[in-house]
Amino acid sequence: MHLDFDEFSLDLKNLYPSIQNVIRMKNKFSNDIKMVKLELTCAKARDDLLNNKLVYVNYSCYEIEEYIAPVNVLICSKCCSIGHFRRQCAEQDETCKSCRQSFKDLKMHHCSSIIKCKHCNGDHLSNFMKCPVVKTFRADLTKKLMNINNNVTSYSSSIAANIANNNTSQHINNDFPRTAAPWAPSSNPMDLKLNTLISGLSQVNETLSKLCVTNQGFQQFMIEKNENDKRINNEIDDLKSINNKMDQDVMVLNEKVNDLDKLMKSNDGIFKQFLFPMLDDILKFIDTKNVGRGGKTVDPDLKSKIDRFRNQMSDAMGGKSFI
Ligand SMILES: [Zn+2]
Ligand SMILES: [Zn+2]
Ligand SMILES: [Zn+2]
């Protein structure tokens, strides 16, 4: 259809003053499609347009549908599952995105090149954004995000107007909104909110993965601490056994001291019982020979030595005198 887009935009804005922007939508090849996106500043005007389902501009009728911005779907580059990043992946094995088989080390895998999607078994790669399963996931996620957003606030949003008139509407892609608009940065408040939500979610993801890392660090610390504790316990056990051994050594030493004491006592007995009396007798005999005529001592020096020696032996015997 031939239509002056600027003129059409102006007419629309005149009809509905709360329309702020009229944006021509494009397909993935950046070609214009028969849809425009209307950005409004008033939630009520948006709801009115959506309820009317139709808008008349210059005697032509255009269909109106709610615009739901498609959200980015995460596909893990490790396991090809939907909804998480590689960093958050809990899978052990890597999945080949071509043939969907899993391997410990994907580098060792020689792919059969038989393309099979992990999600739908279709003949496309597992990270193909147009896989029906991925598309359904994206649509569900978009709806969820929309619900969250609607619960937060009912602010103005954008709607899509089908700029083909009724006669040509059968040519319009029925799959809207899932494939109609490529994801593009927008100044639309709803898009901004969705973006904020998505970035919020990815921040949550990031925080969670940081928490995971911290938790891993803590677990590592606990493992090291446990090992340390075990080592300390072993050292304490070693010390205890050394202590026990020392106790035993002390006991052995005590026994030896006792033995020595007994030996000393028995030696003492030998001295006291046999040697001392014998020595005393010998000394007494020498003493008698040291007396000359008239009872005089021949050698006084020898006598004093003998006396001193006998006294010492008497002291050693515990005061018992041999005299
Ligand atoms: Zn994964
Ligand atoms: Zn493969
Ligand atoms: Zn698929």
Side-chain angles (χ1 to χ4, degrees), residues 256-294:
K256 279 187 180 164
V257 167
N258 281 340
D259 286 352
L260 209 68
D261 206 34
K262 276 182 201 161
L263 197 70
M264 290 283 284
K265 273 179 186 159
S266 70
N267 280 346
D268 199 37
I270 289 168
F271 271 99
K272 284 176 184 170
Q273 280 177 25
F274 304 105
L275 284 175
F276 281 6
M278 198 169 74
L279 267 170
D280 199 51
D281 284 346
I282 292 166
L283 287 172
K284 267 199 276 185
F285 177 73
I286 294 169
D287 202 29
T288 55
K289 294 297 167 193
N290 197 21
V291 179
R293 284 180 189 169

Side-chain angles (χ1 to χ4, degrees), residues 1 18 67 73 84 123 125 127 130 132 169 174 180 187 196-197 202 206 217 221 232 235 263 282 284-285 293 299:
M1 76 184 262
S18 60
Y67 174 79
V73 171
H84 65 262
D123 57 349
L125 298 180
N127 62 355
K130 285 192 176 173
S169 63
N174 289 327
S187 58
T196 313
L197 262 171
S202 63
E206 211 165 290
F221 165 77
I232 288 171
E235 278 169 9
L263 197 70
I282 292 166
K284 267 199 276 185
F285 177 73
R293 284 180 189 169
D299 187 345

Side-chain angles (χ1 to χ4, degrees), residues 74-84 89-103 106 114-129 131-134:
L74 307 177
I75 296 183
C76 177
S77 61
K78 187 179 180 188
C79 73
C80 292
S81 291
I82 303 170
H84 65 262
C89 186
E91 288 295 325
Q92 292 288 314
D93 296 348
E94 290 194 66
T95 300
C96 173
K97 65 176 184 286
S98 302
C99 68
R100 71 163 290 177
Q101 291 184 61
S102 297
F103 303 93
L106 204 58
I114 298 169
I115 308 292
K116 204 168 196 184
C117 171
K118 174 177 174 163
H119 315 295
C120 71
N121 281 330
D123 57 349
H124 49 253
L125 298 180
S126 293
N127 62 355
F128 184 51
M129 282 298 170
C131 164
V133 177
V134 176

Side-chain angles (χ1 to χ4, degrees), residues 150-282:
N150 282 340
N151 287 339
V152 173
T153 170
S154 60
Y155 194 61
S156 64
S157 185
S158 56
I159 55 176
N162 185 348
I163 61 170
N165 62 29
N166 271 345
N167 297 333
T168 56
S169 63
Q170 67 266 29
H171 298 300
I172 300 306
N173 191 343
N174 289 327
D175 207 16
F176 184 82
R178 274 169 272 173
T179 58
W183 177 254
S186 164
S187 58
N188 180 299
M190 178 69 94
D191 288 353
L192 286 176
K193 276 180 199 163
L194 281 173
N195 276 335
T196 313
L197 262 171
I198 290 163
S199 72
L201 280 175
S202 63
Q203 270 171 16
V204 167
N205 270 343
E206 211 165 290
T207 312
L208 276 174
S209 65
K210 272 182 195 161
L211 265 172
C212 275
V213 170
T214 313
N215 191 28
Q216 275 173 9
F218 182 68
Q219 278 178 355
Q220 187 63 35
F221 165 77
M222 282 306 285
I223 288 167
E224 278 168 16
K225 188 192 166 293
N226 282 342
E227 277 172 7
N228 232 3
D229 284 358
K230 262 187 215 162
R231 211 172 49 237
I232 288 171
N233 276 340
N234 284 343
E235 278 169 9
I236 287 174
D237 284 349
D238 285 352
L239 275 173
K240 273 185 188 163
S241 70
I242 287 172
N243 198 27
N244 280 343
K245 205 173 164 295
M246 272 174 72
D247 276 353
Q248 283 172 6
D249 285 351
V250 166
M251 271 163 67
V252 169
L253 215 65
N254 269 337
E255 274 171 24
K256 279 187 180 164
V257 167
N258 281 340
D259 286 352
L260 209 68
D261 206 34
K262 276 182 201 161
L263 197 70
M264 290 283 284
K265 273 179 186 159
S266 70
N267 280 346
D268 199 37
I270 289 168
F271 271 99
K272 284 176 184 170
Q273 280 177 25
F274 304 105
L275 284 175
F276 281 6
M278 198 169 74
L279 267 170
D280 199 51
D281 284 346
I282 292 166

